[in-house]
Amino acid sequence: MSFSAERTAARQTSILRRLLGLATTRTGVLALTMAGNLVVRTGSSMLLTRLLTPYDFGIVGIITTVFFAVAMITDLGFEAFLIRHERTEDRHFRDVIWTIHAKRGFALFVGVAIASPAIAWAFGKPVVTVPLAVASLIFLINGLASLSLMTALRRDKARELSVLDFGLQIFQTLTCLSLALWWRNAWSIIAAMLLQSALRALLSYRLFADSTQRPARDRSVSREFLAFSRVILMSSMLTLLIGQSDKLVLGRLFTLDQFGLYAIALTIASAPTGFAEAYVRRIVFPVYAQTWRQVPSELPLVYYSVRRLPSALYAFGCGGLIGGAPLLVALLYDPRYASVATFISLLMIGSALRLSNIAASELLTATGEMTRMLRITVVRVIWLAVAIPAGFFMVGPIGVVAAVGLMEVPAMLYSWLLLGRVRVLDLRQELLLLALVATGAAIGFLGGTEVLRLFPRL
């Protein structure tokens, strides 16, 4: 072998080792599993749209909307409390928190099951009553899961949690497809959701050390937790208004078929957001918190450096989906689902900005600036309160979707203001990410248009 060939082979080996090294980091594992989740969810969506109807997706869309609303209204911040608290390693302390967690799950199950007829009536969709009542068992199952799924982040188990989530996604997808081949209705999705929750609860006691739980009471611990939960509860209720306002409005305005199309678009647009939230909260937030405790002067540098490459790739990829949505829908679905592309393009605008905005909120949380963090959420609420009625008045239901898609723009601008006040903002870094979004959107649009021109039968 020549010297040149040896150098080429050595360079290739070095690159491969570097890639393998990156793939085994917390960020690498999270990115790979989230990408795998995206592939699995997209493939599942392709197959399910051929086995089920938009009507079935509409039923499940209503159920997931209700579940999210109930979860947010009763969000007490269990994970944040356990990650930050110095007594989390104390077995009795965790058992007290787990008892509260389990009681909450039981109460939500009973409440939703009893209220399901009224909820279905409020949506004007009585057919949802029984599916919603049955699906509410998920609250009970999740409430009984071990808190090890929350405390694992304190023990640097982000990789294991990412792999677990991916495995559960595969299980749910295979179960759902198998049942859909047999039942051909929305019950296949609901049953798969229940089975996945049951498996997750079981594995929470099997995969992590010191994961057993038992009922316990302690008034001082309960009071401390509930005091902490008040701020989280306020933020969660505002987040509920943000995350569900479009679904509550469109769930009433759209037919089940139309809402089913919108639900499919939400599934696709929420995939990048799922990565953003998991990445920032599992990997970035612990770094911010540790830096603030140990060397707060380095926080401005760490704020951007810890997430520079993932943020850039995320921005460019989301931009590609904004411009390339028509091609994506043409490749994945039959002509009945063509209007999903418009929904995706609008919703992806918000998704593209989401990672940076979450990072800003988590930085403020890590530094104890809870009030300022809450204000970012308030900005989103104000935007939706004005933009949703205005959008609907001007262009109808699609105006509601546009209002939701643009929601992260005012949140981003206000986040910049807050970051500047705590002397962390680097406007050049922020503008670079916006430029990557725009570049990705242009490439996605031009490339998608050309492909559809060359292959009009797609």
Side-chain angles (χ1 to χ4, degrees):
M1 182 182 292
S2 67
F3 178 70
S4 176
E6 290 178 353
R7 288 185 61 186
T8 301
R11 189 180 302 113
Q12 292 174 344
T13 301
S14 176
I15 293 173
L16 180 60
R17 286 176 179 172
R18 264 187 237 169
L19 291 174
L20 290 174
L22 288 172
T24 56
T25 63
R26 289 174 299 172
T27 303
V29 172
L30 178 62
L32 289 173
T33 53
M34 292 300 293
N37 272 321
L38 177 59
V39 172
V40 171
R41 290 171 67 179
T42 302
S44 171
S45 180
M46 287 176 58
L47 295 173
L48 285 175
T49 55
R50 287 157 174 79
L51 296 172
L52 307 178
T53 67
Y55 179 88
D56 298 316
F57 288 107
I59 292 175
V60 176
I62 296 292
I63 291 173
T64 55
T65 296
V66 172
F67 278 18
F68 182 83
V70 171
M72 295 305 292
I73 289 174
T74 62
D75 180 18
L76 301 180
F78 290 97
E79 183 174 290
F81 183 76
L82 290 169
I83 290 174
R84 292 168 58 92
H85 206 284
E86 64 275 4
R87 288 187 59 192
T88 297
E89 300 304 322
D90 178 6
R91 171 66 177 274
H92 173 71
F93 179 84
R94 291 199 310 275
D95 285 342
V96 173
I97 303 302
W98 176 83
T99 303
I100 298 173
H101 188 258
K103 289 179 178 178
R104 170 184 174 271
F106 177 76
L108 293 183
F109 158 61
V110 173
V112 173
I114 293 175
S116 58
I119 294 172
W121 173 83
F123 276 99
K125 311 288 190 299
V127 70
V128 175
T129 300
V130 176
L132 177 60
V134 174
S136 66
L137 278 166
I138 291 174
F139 288 116
L140 176 62
I141 297 170
N142 289 344
L144 296 174
S146 171
L147 297 181
S148 65
L149 296 175
M150 302 180 189
T151 59
L153 292 177
R154 284 175 59 100
R155 301 165 182 168
D156 195 26
K157 299 293 184 181
R159 286 179 288 258
E160 288 81 351
L161 287 174
S162 298
V163 173
L164 173 61
D165 289 343
F166 183 46
L168 290 172
Q169 181 65 48
I170 293 176
F171 170 79
Q172 181 175 339
T173 298
L174 293 177
T175 303
C176 183
L177 290 173
S178 299
L179 293 175
L181 283 169
W182 183 17
W183 292 344
R184 298 297 180 105
N185 57 39
W187 284 105
S188 56
I189 303 178
I190 296 169
M193 291 164 57
L194 284 164
L195 291 172
Q196 188 258 28
S197 294
L199 179 60
R200 178 179 177 275
L202 175 63
L203 292 177
S204 71
Y205 289 96
R206 299 289 185 180
L207 296 181
F208 299 100
D210 197 22
S211 59
T212 56
Q213 309 276 192
R214 61 172 62 95
R217 297 178 63 184
D218 188 313
R219 289 185 177 181
S220 63
V221 173
S222 298
R223 281 196 299 266
E224 182 182 0
F225 173 68
L226 294 177
F228 171 83
S229 298
R230 290 173 187 169
V231 177
I232 300 296
L233 189 60
M234 177 63 69
S235 177
S236 297
M237 293 183 71
L238 292 175
T239 302
L240 168 64
L241 292 175
I242 294 167
Q244 298 301 298
S245 56
D246 60 323
K247 303 175 191 67
L248 295 172
V249 173
L250 295 175
R252 183 72 183 183
L253 296 175
F254 279 168
T255 64
L256 278 176
D257 286 350
Q258 292 171 326
F259 192 77
L261 297 176
Y262 183 66
I264 292 172
L266 280 173
T267 299
I268 294 174
S270 65
T273 302
F275 167 79
E277 293 179 350
Y279 170 67
V280 173
R281 288 167 182 162
R282 290 185 179 182
I283 296 175
V284 176
F285 173 70
V287 175
Y288 288 168
Q290 183 179 13
T291 303
W292 175 251
R293 289 194 304 267
Q294 298 177 358
V295 280
S297 61
E298 295 186 6
L299 202 55
L301 175 62
V302 172
Y303 177 69
Y304 290 101
S305 64
V306 74
R307 59 182 178 87
R308 182 170 289 116
L309 180 59
S311 292
L313 294 174
Y314 178 87
F316 182 77
C318 287
L321 283 175
I322 292 172
L327 175 61
L328 177 67
V329 172
L331 290 172
L332 297 181
Y333 307 118
D334 62 55
R336 293 177 300 164
Y337 297 87
S339 60
V340 171
T342 302
F343 295 153
I344 293 174
S345 293
L346 291 171
L347 294 171
M348 281 304 305
I349 297 172
S351 296
L353 306 178
R354 185 67 176 160
L355 191 150
S356 294
N357 289 348
I358 296 174
S361 295
E362 293 301 301
L363 173 78
L364 295 171
T365 300
T367 58
E369 297 284 353
M370 300 296 290
T371 302
R372 288 181 172 178
M373 180 274 293
L374 192 60
R375 289 174 186 167
I376 299 176
T377 307
V378 172
V379 168
R380 294 188 179 102
V381 173
I382 294 172
W383 166 263
L384 291 178
V386 175
I388 284 181
F392 179 72
F393 177 76
M394 289 188 291
V395 293
I398 194 66
V400 177
V401 181
V404 175
L406 295 171
M407 171 182 59
E408 292 299 322
V409 175
M412 175 191 69
L413 296 175
Y414 189 68
S415 295
W416 290 357
L417 176 63
L418 295 179
L419 292 174
R421 289 179 178 175
V422 297
R423 300 181 180 181
V424 171
L425 177 67
D426 185 337
L427 194 56
R428 184 178 62 177
Q429 296 274 1
E430 301 288 352
L431 294 176
L432 177 60
L433 291 176
L434 292 181
L436 287 171
V437 173
T439 302
I443 293 174
F445 175 76
L446 295 174
T449 301
E450 185 63 17
V451 170
L452 289 175
R453 186 185 68 82
L454 293 174
F455 302 97
R457 293 186 178 180
L458 283 178

